[in-house]
Amino acid sequence: MTESPATPAPHKVTLYRNGSVYTAADPFATAMLVDGDTVAWVGSEQAATSIADASMEVIDLHGALLAPGFVDSHVHLTETGIALDSLQLGGVRSARELLDAVAGFSSSTSGTGGTVLGHGWDETLWADPALPTRDELERAAGGRQVYLSRVDVHSALVSSALAAAAGLPAAGSSGPDGSGTDADSQVKRAAHTAARAAARQLPAAALRGYQRRALAEAAANGYVALAEMAAPHIGSIEDLQLAAAWNTGPDAVPEILPYWGELAGSAEHAQSILAGLGVPVLGLAGDLNMDGSIGSRTAALREDYSDAAGERGSLYLTSAEAAAHLAACSLLGIQAGFHVIGDAGLDAALDALDQAAAEVGEQKVRAAGHRLEHVEVADAESIRRLANYSVTVSAQPGFDAAWGAADGLYQQRLGSRRGGMNPFASFYAAGVPICFGSDSPVTPLRPWSSVRACLQHNNPDERISARAAFLGHTRAGWRAARYRNPMAGQLVPGAPASFAVWEVEELMVQVADGRVQSWSTDPRARTPLLPALDTGSEPACLQTVRDGRELFASGSLRG
């Protein structure tokens, strides 16, 4: 599939100097020359003095760090924009507080009409986890429809009016797929898909506005690319088309790496799906769900949830369905993939890989570069099987930071199984390719927080170094998407000029093993330095550039 190039940057030459450049070409580099959309040179301050002339823009970094731009390997653009601009519920701690927040938001936006949208509630943080009812939400919103996504976006609270608009069954009943409710307002699985669709009846201009909001947030945080994980149960094909269109439009925004999570039963079916999208995608992968989430108790587990006897979540696809999809995509040489969180969900995906390999051959399966999203619960044998098929794991370090503590969500839902969650070091040790993202809006677009989460994993045995984490958030993201330019994600001559500039307090070498010195500024290590992440403050983004085009700039950069 061919792609039309984005509007090229006006040709200019820019010299960055007097900083620290994160590059494999020279661990002591303090300067970099950008010629149009390409890195032309990296080197020392002395050499920069001889290169500088009046024809180029010269930017004094004043000690700032210039590093490859971040790639978020799993985002949802429209959902992120909606979450940023809607009712923020991460801080509520009871049903009463949630209802008060809805009432206050409805009052302040009473003239705008439409559905009350909110995101981020998490009942596991409440003293009393009881949820409000549909009718209570309706009254709090003054009769307006209400859709409030849980923090994991695998379930939501809905009002009576929205439930009716979505054609949902009466409160408390269960659908044929087991999509019952924990409270009459909480909807899961098919019921959630219907409710989300009813709440997303938005014109193209509104969808584009939400996407623009998400792209601006990403650019301001040093991202040069985002893997958009679109799927029929999340948004429409129009939503996908709008997302992909940013790559060919005039706006300077992060590159979109688009995926579409729709199940194919054969190679011919896969081709028809791709032809019907109207835009090129990198694969039929992403949020094609094998199972759900830990928080909503829809992730498929081998054993019961610790806080819900008899519940083990559920598989959304059979191994046979997943195998047919993998075989179809392998024959076409395109990526397939699934959203997989629970160990039983992973078992089903691995069995599907075995079945697909038996049908089309292991070589074709490996060559297609398939990927699995999340993979939160994986034991040693499952990891070995992943490595055998060269399957990339697209993981979210922010999940462990948010939920992996001794008193956190994982402990509540899984008990002692918490220790085996998000096994980053084990993936690396087994040779499983791994890349990192946020699953925004589930966790925020804050890349250095995500790097820190790798360093400070709640299970010390699964911690990785800052360098490994940084590469997983940059170069590995391009590789996981099988990007057309193999030099993407590094700052060496000839590579794309896609980078971010960061104001940092201190630069260090940071490793995850507490038995050795974790912090070093010794240049003899010849390891490029990264920001110290234990200072209590995040590096501040001063500039983001993709292919030579400035996406974001702080006023202080050229001041």
Side-chain angles (χ1 to χ4, degrees):
M1 290 175 286
T2 59
E3 295 184 35
S4 301
T7 303
H11 190 87
K12 61 181 291 190
V13 178
T14 305
L15 176 65
Y16 293 84
R17 60 182 302 180
N18 190 29
S20 179
V21 180
Y22 187 96
T23 172
D26 180 358
F28 308 111
T30 63
M32 185 174 83
L33 187 71
V34 175
D35 187 349
D37 61 359
T38 304
V39 175
W41 169 87
V42 292
S44 69
E45 192 62 26
Q46 182 178 4
T49 299
S50 65
I51 290 173
D53 64 40
S55 68
M56 62 183 66
E57 181 183 12
V58 178
I59 294 179
D60 190 331
L61 293 171
H62 296 290
L65 171 67
L66 192 156
F70 284 101
V71 179
D72 194 309
S73 291
H74 191 121
V75 300
H76 303 282
L77 272 186
T78 300
E79 295 280 323
T80 296
I82 289 173
L84 288 169
D85 283 349
S86 66
L87 178 58
Q88 306 294 312
L89 296 170
V92 303
R93 292 296 179 266
S94 68
R96 183 69 267 160
E97 286 187 21
L98 185 144
L99 291 169
D100 289 344
V102 169
F105 185 82
S106 299
S107 176
S108 65
T109 60
S110 58
T112 62
T115 300
V116 175
L117 300 174
H119 169 72
W121 58 273
D122 182 355
E123 83 288 358
T124 67
L125 301 175
W126 302 357
D128 178 359
L131 299 171
T133 67
R134 291 181 185 179
D135 288 343
E136 286 174 331
L137 289 168
E138 187 97 356
R139 288 193 294 273
R144 291 167 64 182
Q145 296 182 4
V146 180
Y147 171 90
L148 310 175
S149 54
R150 195 182 182 280
V151 62
D152 57 11
V153 202
H154 277 262
S155 62
L157 301 178
V158 299
S159 64
S160 300
L162 183 67
L168 300 184
S173 60
S174 296
D177 65 348
S179 54
T181 60
D182 288 340
D184 71 343
S185 59
Q186 186 181 22
V187 291
K188 302 178 182 180
R189 295 203 60 180
H192 179 224
T193 298
R196 175 156 48 187
R200 296 291 190 272
Q201 299 299 314
L202 302 168
L207 294 174
R208 186 174 173 83
Y210 284 127
Q211 291 184 2
R212 185 187 299 278
R213 176 73 171 87
L215 289 165
E217 178 78 4
N221 284 280
Y223 290 98
V224 295
L226 307 170
E228 164 67 3
M229 295 301 176
H233 68 279
I234 297 174
S236 64
I237 289 178
E238 178 188 37
D239 199 58
L240 168 69
Q241 293 170 340
L242 289 169
W246 293 103
N247 287 340
T248 55
D251 300 90
V253 296
E255 183 164 357
I256 302 302
L257 307 173
Y259 287 87
W260 181 249
E262 183 172 352
L263 188 69
S266 65
E268 294 75 20
H269 185 202
Q271 286 177 318
S272 70
I273 292 172
L274 294 169
L277 295 178
V279 292
V281 294
L282 297 173
L284 296 177
D287 272 342
L288 176 52
N289 287 43
M290 284 298 302
D291 65 351
S293 75
I294 299 293
S296 292
R297 295 197 195 89
T298 50
L301 302 180
R302 295 172 182 169
E303 299 177 5
D304 292 358
Y305 281 89
S306 297
D307 58 353
E311 286 192 34
R312 296 191 177 188
S314 54
L315 289 174
Y316 295 10
L317 300 173
T318 66
S319 289
E321 289 172 324
H325 183 78
L326 286 162
C329 292
S330 297
L331 288 171
L332 295 179
I334 65 170
Q335 288 182 297
F338 306 95
H339 161 116
V340 178
I341 286 185
D343 48 8
L346 182 56
D347 289 342
L350 290 167
D351 289 346
L353 282 162
D354 289 342
Q355 294 171 40
E359 180 178 343
V360 304
E362 286 190 14
Q363 184 176 356
K364 278 189 169 60
V365 172
R366 291 194 188 98
H370 303 311
R371 55 188 290 162
L372 296 180
E373 309 301 312
H374 315 309
V375 193
E376 291 193 75
V377 190
D379 61 17
E381 175 59 16
S382 296
I383 293 172
R384 184 198 65 77
R385 294 173 70 188
L386 283 171
N388 180 61
Y389 288 113
S390 301
V391 173
T392 294
V393 169
S394 168
Q396 292 67 45
F399 288 6
D400 180 75
W403 304 316
D407 59 349
L409 170 72
Y410 292 160
Q411 180 66 39
Q412 293 181 41
R413 293 284 192 265
L414 302 177
S416 62
R417 289 169 285 179
R418 172 181 72 89
M421 301 286 289
N422 299 297
F424 303 150
S426 295
F427 286 139
Y428 274 107
V432 174
I434 187 167
C435 59
F436 294 120
S438 64
D439 197 11
S440 179
V442 178
T443 64
L445 292 163
R446 296 293 183 271
W448 291 113
S449 293
S450 191
V451 172
R452 182 191 296 110
C454 294
L455 275 168
Q456 300 177 353
H457 196 293
N458 281 284
N459 179 354
D461 291 338
E462 296 300 345
R463 292 172 182 168
I464 59 176
S465 70
R467 181 174 181 270
F470 183 74
L471 292 175
H473 285 84
T474 53
R475 194 174 185 186
W478 296 112
R479 288 179 171 177
R482 305 176 77 193
Y483 194 67
R484 59 184 177 272
N485 189 333
M487 299 182 75
Q490 53 187 326
L491 298 178
V492 296
S498 297
F499 56 89
V501 177
W502 301 91
E503 184 177 31
V504 297
E505 294 185 14
E506 191 172 4
L507 294 171
M508 294 183 171
V509 174
Q510 301 153 69
V511 300
D513 192 341
R515 295 170 297 178
V516 300
Q517 183 178 341
S518 295
W519 310 97
S520 173
T521 55
D522 188 346
R524 291 172 297 180
R526 298 191 64 81
T527 300
L529 303 179
L530 287 167
L533 297 174
D534 64 347
T535 63
S537 62
E538 296 288 316
C541 188
L542 301 178
Q543 185 189 42
T544 306
V545 174
R546 175 173 74 85
D547 294 333
R549 302 182 74 196
E550 187 174 81
L551 312 184
F552 167 81
S554 163
S556 63
L557 178 70
R558 296 180 175 90

